[in-house]
């Protein structure tokens, strides 16, 4: 045991020695102490050093020496050495001889004196580092005292470089040190300007500046190409620390808008790397220019808070809802990208500044779904169109075949095809959105038809286009042909009717025929094969060469009826022979119905365009028509009584034959014989309930005069439906021998509540509507997108300076997210009852 004990003793002694030596190592001074001769001989060209000369250290100088020693390591990071020069008592040189010289510290670069510092100005590490760097960076950091000096520096930098303007309440502070340390790195990139004058902070445009707090503004002077154009300023909203300032300058140098052509999940930008979110504006080819401006406008608002990227749906296959127009990617790992439907840029800004808004928006959408379910259970909803749109709002519309037009693309689009169809609509209006659904079906029907281009303009986004095109109501559909006045569609807004109108309008109306053979072929329905399914009747106007007034009226009538009916015109020398073949004399109309080989000759007794239009419309009505929702208005315009045969399906051959015989035998159509198939037109059930309280057994023949008295008479069910029985019954009605089954109210058929006053609603709830500035072609520099490049980069970036020039030249794009994603309904709960709106 004694031997083992002896072996442990030396080891313990060694550990004790090391332990006692550790504090000695820690207390080793980093401050060099040299004699004057040693110091001046050690100076190297271009290398900075801070020296304090002293004979002996007085008690009053001890705190200063402690701070000098504490700053040694910080200054060494910037290549600056710190030396205490011990002056011999007999030394009376410049730095050692005078009493006041011993109260100063000296900054040298090489053997050249740069600056003298009073020791009371170097009171701590921050003041030492700040003042030393400030003295060394006299070119990189300019100090200004007046607004004139500041403006002169700005003007000199415009179009060349950016400026970092800093206000500190006093020099030597921690904020001053942070600015100097950053300027040491960025001084060759940006011009730094420092002031301690609080009045300058106010002159730079800061709202209610706090003179007790340091401020930093990044001035984008490089984009200001004109001396009169001010430098846009972006403030640093955090405290002035090295990390915050470095982060801010890094963000200011990042691209203003990043164009993305890959999966957003794979995108990484400076903003995400620095812990900021990235906002994606989902765009498409047709609205690229507008979306680009919206993205730039938004990027300036979010500068320093979030990044903005423009993501084209045409280049990336996104498995998200078509109506989504904004995506938000956070820097948090594992958090999926949020795809949202937002109405304006203010919502995006709020979303970035308040993270809880993301969950709130999604909760609002869930609440809307619940509200829809509640509204679906309502017994009565006064606006059925709003209800239908609300129920279909989750349905994505296939709008790929419909070209989206803007003010920049509208006029050029009119030259792309022989016939351009334009739907003018408002994205907040229910009927517009319902018609947009039909419009997509029309596009599907006309897919592959040469020379026809379907397009749309959202008048909420582009009011200038709609005003120029004289659009006074929504929705409006016009057809544009090169060199011709636009043709407005005034018919039913269903798919079949609109498709037929578009196809028939491709044929000149009226079509001028040159020979009798052409005229005969026209009456036989010899038209292009693609029009065969839309052609129902042909109207041929026959005139002699001298009947110029009648011809002009017929041509005018053709322009009115274009798209609704095919019209031809023949006025050659042998026109008389053609008309006599059909027992009429010029001027005359020859009417040939599709599927009917007979041609009806009609003499033109009146030669005004409106009379011709009215006559053609009247003659084109079927003799014994099936009443539908679509054609009912045409028959109501005649203001005649209706003799309606209601049936649950097709009517029998006997009833059809007898009713057709009756219809053809009526002189001058004193009433309208017709029938209504409840399977094709279910609304007929409601009509019968209004007539008889309950639906009677079918078929049932009913007489109703909606325009005189509103009395409803029911044909006796025990009698068979024959021409003789019906005429006998009608004689009794005329003599007053029949008792009406019911009498309809004489009140006008009006909606239960007044119509929406959209203008008043916009003035009241959306005063920012006037901010939605429309753009004129040429207001801003056009953005050219590279095409056909084999080395197309996945991400194309543009610096704030490059994009800022455009942003200054182009007006603010307003606060709406233009055209980025068509949708069936906005964030308003449109399924609410009319009275609640």
């Amino acid at each position: 045991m004694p031997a083992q004990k002896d072996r442990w003793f030396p080891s313990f002694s060694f550990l004790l020695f090391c332990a006692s030596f550790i504090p000695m190592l820690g207390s080793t001074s980093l401050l060099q102490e040299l004699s004057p001769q040693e110091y001046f001989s050690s100076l190297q060209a271009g290398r900075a050093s801070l020296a304090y000369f002293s004979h002996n250290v007085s008690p009053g100088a001890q705190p200063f020496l402690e701070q000098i020693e504490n700053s040694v390591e910080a200054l060494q990071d910037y290549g600056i050495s710190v030396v205490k020069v011990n002056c011999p008592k007999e030394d009376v040189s410049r730095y050692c001889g005078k009493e006041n010289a011993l109260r100063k510290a000296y900054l040298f670069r090489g053997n050249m004196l740069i600056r003298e510092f009073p020791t009371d100005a170097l009171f701590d590490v921050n003041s030492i580092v700040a003042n030393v760097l400030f003295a060394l960076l006299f070119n990189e950091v300019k100090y200004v005292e007046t607004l004139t000096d500041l403006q002169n520096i700005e003007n000199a930098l415009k179009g060349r470089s950016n400026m970092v303007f800093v206000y500190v309440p006093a020099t030597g502070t921690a904020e001053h040190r942070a600015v100097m340390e950053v300027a040491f790195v960025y001084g060759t990139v940006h011009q730094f300007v420092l002031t301690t004058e609080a009045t300058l902070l106010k002159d730079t445009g800061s709202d209610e500046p706090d003179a007790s707090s340091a401020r930093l503004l990044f001035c984008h002077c490089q984009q200001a190409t004109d001396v009169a154009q001010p430098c846009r300023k972006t403030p640093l909203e955090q405290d002035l620390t090295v990390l915050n300032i470095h982060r801010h300058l890094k963000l200011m140098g990042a691209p203003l808008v990043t164009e993305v052509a890959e999966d957003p999940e794979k995108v990484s930008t400076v903003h995400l790397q620095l812990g900021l979110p990235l906002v994606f504006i989902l765009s498409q080819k047709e609205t690229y220019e507008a979306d680009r401006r919206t993205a730039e406008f938004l990027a300036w608002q979010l500068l320093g808070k979030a990044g903005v990227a423009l993501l084209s749906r045409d280049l990336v296959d996104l498995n998200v809802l078509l109506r989504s127009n904004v995506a938000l990617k956070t820097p948090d790992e594992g958090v999926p990208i949020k795809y949202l439907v937002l109405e304006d840029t203010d919502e995006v800004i709020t979303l970035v500044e308040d993270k809880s808004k993301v969950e709130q928006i999604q909760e609002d959408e869930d609440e809307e779904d619940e509200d829809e379910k509640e509204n679906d259970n309502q017994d009565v909803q006064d606006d059925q169109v709003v209800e239908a749109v609300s129920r279909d709002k989750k349905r994505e519309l296939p709008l790929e075949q419909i070209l989206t037009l803007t003010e920049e693309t509208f006029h050029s689009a009119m030259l792309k095809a022989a016939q351009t169809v334009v739907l003018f609509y408002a994205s907040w209006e229910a009927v517009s959105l319902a018609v947009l659904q039909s419009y997509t079906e029309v596009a599907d029907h006309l897919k592959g038809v040469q020379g026809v281009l379907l397009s749309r303009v959202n008048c909420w986004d582009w009011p200038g286009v709609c005003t120029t095109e004289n659009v006074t109501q929504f929705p409006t559909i016009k057809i544009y042909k090169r060199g011709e006045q636009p043709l407005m569609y005034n018919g039913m807004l269903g798919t079949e009717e609109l498709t037929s109108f578009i196809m028939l309008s491709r044929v000149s109306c009226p079509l001028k025929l040159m020979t009798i053979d052409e005229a005969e072929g026209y009456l036989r329905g010899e038209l292009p094969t693609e029009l065969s399914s839309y052609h129902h009747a042909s109207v041929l106007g026959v005139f002699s060469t001298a009947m110029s007034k009648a011809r002009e009226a017929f041509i005018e009538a053709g322009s009115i009826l274009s798209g609704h009916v095919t019209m031809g015109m023949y006025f050659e020398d042998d026109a008389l022979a053609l008309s006599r073949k059909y027992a009429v004399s010029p001027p005359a109309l020859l009417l040939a119905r599709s599927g009917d080989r007979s041609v009806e000759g009609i003499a033109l007794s009146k030669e005004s365009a409106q009379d011709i239009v009215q006559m053609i419309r009247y003659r084109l009505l079927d003799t014994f028509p099936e009443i539908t929702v679509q054609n009912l208005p045409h028959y109501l315009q005649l203001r005649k009584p209706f003799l309606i045969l209601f049936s649950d399906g097709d009517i029998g051959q006997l009833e059809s034959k007898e009713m057709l015989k009756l219809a053809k035998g009526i002189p001058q159509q004193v009433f309208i014989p017709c029938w209504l198939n409840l399977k094709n037109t279910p609304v007929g059930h409601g009509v019968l309930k209004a007539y008889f309280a309950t639906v009677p057994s079918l078929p049932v023949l009913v007489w109703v005069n909606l325009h005189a008295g509103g009395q409803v008479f029911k044909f006796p069910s025990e009698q068979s439906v024959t021409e003789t029985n019906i005429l006998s019954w009608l004689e009794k009605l005329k003599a007053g021998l029949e008792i009406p089954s019911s009498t309809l109210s004489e009140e006008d058929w009006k909606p239960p509540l007044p119509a929406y006053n959209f203008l008043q609603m916009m003035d009241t709830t959306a005063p920012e509507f006037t901010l939605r500035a429309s753009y004129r072609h040429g207001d801003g520099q056009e953005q050219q997108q590279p095409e056909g490049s084999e080395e197309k980069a996945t991400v194309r970036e543009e610096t704030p300076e490059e994009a800022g020039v455009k942003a200054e030249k182009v007006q603010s794009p307003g606060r709406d997210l233009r055209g980025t994603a068509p949708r069936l309904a906005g964030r308003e709960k449109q399924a609410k009852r009319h009275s609640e709106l």
Side-chain angles (χ1 to χ4, degrees), residues 418-668:
Q419 184 181 39
T420 304
V421 186
V422 184
L423 168 64
F424 298 91
Y425 70 102
S427 56
W428 42 260
E429 198 256 330
V431 177
S432 290
L433 298 174
V435 171
L436 189 58
Q437 297 183 40
S438 299
Y439 200 57
T440 59
E441 296 173 2
V442 173
D444 187 58
H445 285 307
L446 299 182
K447 183 178 181 180
V449 176
Q450 297 295 323
V452 178
L453 174 65
L454 266 64
S455 59
R456 59 190 173 95
V457 175
N458 186 350
C459 293
W460 178 250
D461 288 341
W462 309 107
V465 174
C466 302
T467 301
T468 304
E469 298 304 314
N470 196 29
V471 175
T472 58
Q473 63 183 18
F474 307 129
T476 293
I477 296 175
K478 291 187 176 184
I479 295 181
Y480 293 80
K481 296 182 180 180
R482 298 172 188 171
E484 298 182 15
Q485 290 294 321
L487 178 64
M488 181 181 292
Y489 178 61
N490 293 316
M492 298 293 290
L493 295 172
T495 303
E496 294 182 5
E497 293 79 11
L498 182 54
T499 304
S500 175
F501 177 80
I502 294 172
M503 293 301 294
L504 293 180
S505 63
R506 302 183 70 192
V507 182
S508 298
C509 189
L511 184 66
K512 294 181 181 179
L513 305 172
M514 307 307 295
T515 66
I516 286 187
D517 290 339
E518 288 183 1
E520 294 282 8
Y522 174 79
L523 291 174
R524 289 193 299 268
E526 294 179 0
L527 293 172
T529 54
E530 64 267 18
L531 300 178
S532 59
S533 58
Y534 308 104
H535 170 253
H536 301 293
S538 298
V539 178
L540 178 63
V542 183
F543 307 92
S544 65
T545 54
M547 298 176 178
S548 58
K549 183 179 179 181
R551 289 203 312 271
E552 291 175 1
F554 187 76
I555 292 173
E556 184 179 349
S559 64
I560 297 173
L561 294 174
S562 178
H564 298 283
V565 63
T566 54
M567 295 174 60
M569 183 170 64
Y570 188 74
F571 54 93
E572 299 300 324
D573 294 335
D574 51 356
L576 181 61
L578 178 64
S579 61
R580 284 182 176 177
K581 182 177 179 180
Y582 300 102
V584 287
S585 298
L589 299 181
L590 301 180
L591 175 62
R593 299 179 185 274
S594 179
D596 188 354
R597 296 182 179 180
S598 62
V599 176
E600 180 182 1
I602 307 165
L604 272 179
S605 56
K606 298 180 180 179
E607 297 182 357
S608 70
Q610 289 299 328
D611 289 332
I612 295 174
V613 169
Q614 186 175 359
M615 176 180 292
I616 292 174
R617 285 176 172 169
Y618 176 77
R619 292 288 182 173
L620 288 177
L621 295 176
D622 293 333
T623 306
F624 179 53
E626 177 187 355
I627 295 297
T628 63
V629 174
Q630 289 77 11
N631 66 15
L632 178 60
H634 300 303
Y635 293 96
L636 285 175
Q637 290 177 350
L638 301 177
R639 303 187 68 81
K640 305 286 185 181
F642 282 80
L643 181 64
I644 312 176
L645 179 61
F646 290 87
S647 68
D648 189 18
D650 294 334
I651 57 177
Q653 292 185 356
L654 178 61
E655 289 86 352
S656 177
K657 180 180 178 180
E658 293 294 327
M659 290 294 293
L660 188 59
K661 188 191 306 183
L662 173 69
K664 291 182 177 180
I666 300 171
Q668 299 180 353

Side-chain angles (χ1 to χ4, degrees), residues 312-528:
S312 175
R313 290 178 176 270
D314 302 313
L315 301 177
V316 182
D317 185 16
L318 292 177
N319 188 22
V320 297
L321 294 176
L322 183 61
R323 62 182 183 144
S324 298
N325 55 3
V326 172
L328 182 66
K329 183 176 183 178
T330 62
D332 304 323
E333 293 185 6
V335 178
I337 295 178
K338 307 285 186 182
Y339 291 90
L340 305 167
V341 181
L342 301 182
E343 289 297 313
D344 53 43
T345 53
D346 286 341
E347 289 191 20
V348 182
I349 296 170
T350 303
L351 190 69
V352 170
E353 295 177 347
D354 187 354
K355 295 181 180 179
S356 63
K357 288 293 182 181
V358 179
E359 289 75 15
Q360 183 178 337
I361 290 174
Q362 292 179 337
E363 290 175 2
D364 290 343
E365 291 180 351
D366 294 339
E367 289 178 4
E368 288 180 14
D369 294 340
E370 293 178 2
D371 290 340
E372 289 171 17
K373 293 177 182 178
E374 293 177 4
N375 290 327
D376 289 344
N377 295 329
Q378 293 175 354
D379 294 333
V380 177
Q381 183 154 349
D382 57 289
D383 194 337
Q384 294 180 354
V385 176
V386 173
E387 180 186 29
V389 169
S390 176
R391 286 176 175 173
D392 285 347
K393 65 184 292 186
K394 299 296 183 183
R395 170 187 168 197
E396 297 298 335
L397 295 180
L399 297 168
E400 298 82 8
Q401 301 177 52
I402 301 174
L403 180 65
T404 303
L405 300 181
T406 67
E407 287 194 348
E408 288 81 1
T409 62
F410 182 85
H411 296 290
S412 60
M414 298 304 106
L415 305 175
K416 289 184 177 180
Q419 184 181 39
T420 304
V421 186
V422 184
L423 168 64
F424 298 91
Y425 70 102
S427 56
W428 42 260
E429 198 256 330
V431 177
S432 290
L433 298 174
V435 171
L436 189 58
Q437 297 183 40
S438 299
Y439 200 57
T440 59
E441 296 173 2
V442 173
D444 187 58
H445 285 307
L446 299 182
K447 183 178 181 180
V449 176
Q450 297 295 323
V452 178
L453 174 65
L454 266 64
S455 59
R456 59 190 173 95
V457 175
N458 186 350
C459 293
W460 178 250
D461 288 341
W462 309 107
V465 174
C466 302
T467 301
T468 304
E469 298 304 314
N470 196 29
V471 175
T472 58
Q473 63 183 18
F474 307 129
T476 293
I477 296 175
K478 291 187 176 184
I479 295 181
Y480 293 80
K481 296 182 180 180
R482 298 172 188 171
E484 298 182 15
Q485 290 294 321
L487 178 64
M488 181 181 292
Y489 178 61
N490 293 316
M492 298 293 290
L493 295 172
T495 303
E496 294 182 5
E497 293 79 11
L498 182 54
T499 304
S500 175
F501 177 80
I502 294 172
M503 293 301 294
L504 293 180
S505 63
R506 302 183 70 192
V507 182
S508 298
C509 189
L511 184 66
K512 294 181 181 179
L513 305 172
M514 307 307 295
T515 66
I516 286 187
D517 290 339
E518 288 183 1
E520 294 282 8
Y522 174 79
L523 291 174
R524 289 193 299 268
E526 294 179 0
L527 293 172

Side-chain angles (χ1 to χ4, degrees), residues 697-767:
S697 58
L698 301 176
V700 60
L701 186 63
V702 177
W703 170 279
V704 58
N705 192 346
L706 299 173
H707 306 286
Q711 291 182 330
V712 179
F713 295 90
K714 178 184 175 185
F715 182 75
S717 57
E718 64 275 7
Q719 295 186 24
S720 58
V721 179
T722 63
E723 179 186 13
T724 304
N725 291 340
I726 295 173
L727 290 175
S728 175
W729 178 61
L730 293 179
E731 287 296 329
K732 293 180 181 180
L733 294 183
K734 185 177 180 180
L737 301 178
E738 291 287 332
I739 300 174
S741 301
S742 63
T743 302
L744 302 178
S745 172
E746 295 182 0
E747 295 180 3
D748 293 336
W749 294 356
K750 294 181 178 179
L753 291 171
Y756 294 112
N757 186 341
F758 287 115
L759 293 178
Q760 183 180 8
M761 290 168 66
M762 285 189 292
D763 291 340
T764 303
T765 63

Side-chain angles (χ1 to χ4, degrees), residues 107-122:
L107 179 64
F108 292 88
R109 177 177 279 139
N111 58 4
M112 182 182 297
L113 178 63
I114 301 296
R115 181 82 179 270
E116 298 179 4
F117 298 103
T119 55
D120 57 357
L122 307 179

Side-chain angles (χ1 to χ4, degrees), residues 760-788:
Q760 183 180 8
M761 290 168 66
M762 285 189 292
D763 291 340
T764 303
T765 63
E768 75 277 6
F769 175 72
T770 55
L771 297 176
R772 298 173 185 259
S774 62
Y775 289 84
R776 299 294 179 191
H777 185 73
D779 283 352
Q781 187 176 355
E782 289 294 324
Q783 177 78 21
Q784 296 297 330
Q785 191 170 12
E787 296 179 0

Side-chain angles (χ1 to χ4, degrees), residues 192-406:
F192 283 73
V193 177
L194 182 75
T195 188
T196 55
E197 301 295 330
T199 54
L200 280 183
L201 186 62
K202 184 177 182 180
D203 291 335
T204 56
S206 298
D207 298 331
E208 300 182 2
D210 182 6
S212 63
S213 301
R215 294 290 304 276
L216 183 146
L217 299 173
F218 187 90
C219 306
H220 305 268
C221 295
Q222 189 173 6
Q223 72 179 42
T225 54
D226 189 352
V227 177
Q229 183 180 359
C231 298
R232 189 192 290 263
K233 299 176 177 63
T234 304
L236 171 61
E237 298 183 355
Q238 291 82 29
D239 296 333
L240 266 62
T241 65
V242 172
L243 183 60
N244 287 340
I245 298 173
H246 165 75
R247 185 170 176 266
H248 191 64
L249 298 185
K250 196 78 173 175
L251 292 171
M252 296 303 102
L256 182 66
V257 176
T258 302
E259 293 194 16
V260 178
E262 64 175 336
D263 186 353
E265 294 285 359
K266 300 178 181 178
V267 173
S268 178
T269 65
V270 173
H271 307 85
L272 293 171
Q273 296 165 8
L274 295 177
L276 295 180
L278 182 62
V279 177
F280 293 92
I281 300 297
L282 307 187
S283 179
Q284 52 192 353
K285 180 180 178 182
E286 295 82 1
T287 59
Y288 170 80
E289 293 297 337
D291 296 338
R292 175 80 197 186
R293 285 198 300 271
T294 300
E296 290 175 359
F297 172 82
L298 183 62
W300 281 114
Q301 305 303 311
L302 294 177
L303 197 57
K305 302 175 184 177
V308 176
L310 192 62
L311 176 60
S312 175
R313 290 178 176 270
D314 302 313
L315 301 177
V316 182
D317 185 16
L318 292 177
N319 188 22
V320 297
L321 294 176
L322 183 61
R323 62 182 183 144
S324 298
N325 55 3
V326 172
L328 182 66
K329 183 176 183 178
T330 62
D332 304 323
E333 293 185 6
V335 178
I337 295 178
K338 307 285 186 182
Y339 291 90
L340 305 167
V341 181
L342 301 182
E343 289 297 313
D344 53 43
T345 53
D346 286 341
E347 289 191 20
V348 182
I349 296 170
T350 303
L351 190 69
V352 170
E353 295 177 347
D354 187 354
K355 295 181 180 179
S356 63
K357 288 293 182 181
V358 179
E359 289 75 15
Q360 183 178 337
I361 290 174
Q362 292 179 337
E363 290 175 2
D364 290 343
E365 291 180 351
D366 294 339
E367 289 178 4
E368 288 180 14
D369 294 340
E370 293 178 2
D371 290 340
E372 289 171 17
K373 293 177 182 178
E374 293 177 4
N375 290 327
D376 289 344
N377 295 329
Q378 293 175 354
D379 294 333
V380 177
Q381 183 154 349
D382 57 289
D383 194 337
Q384 294 180 354
V385 176
V386 173
E387 180 186 29
V389 169
S390 176
R391 286 176 175 173
D392 285 347
K393 65 184 292 186
K394 299 296 183 183
R395 170 187 168 197
E396 297 298 335
L397 295 180
L399 297 168
E400 298 82 8
Q401 301 177 52
I402 301 174
L403 180 65
T404 303
L405 300 181
T406 67

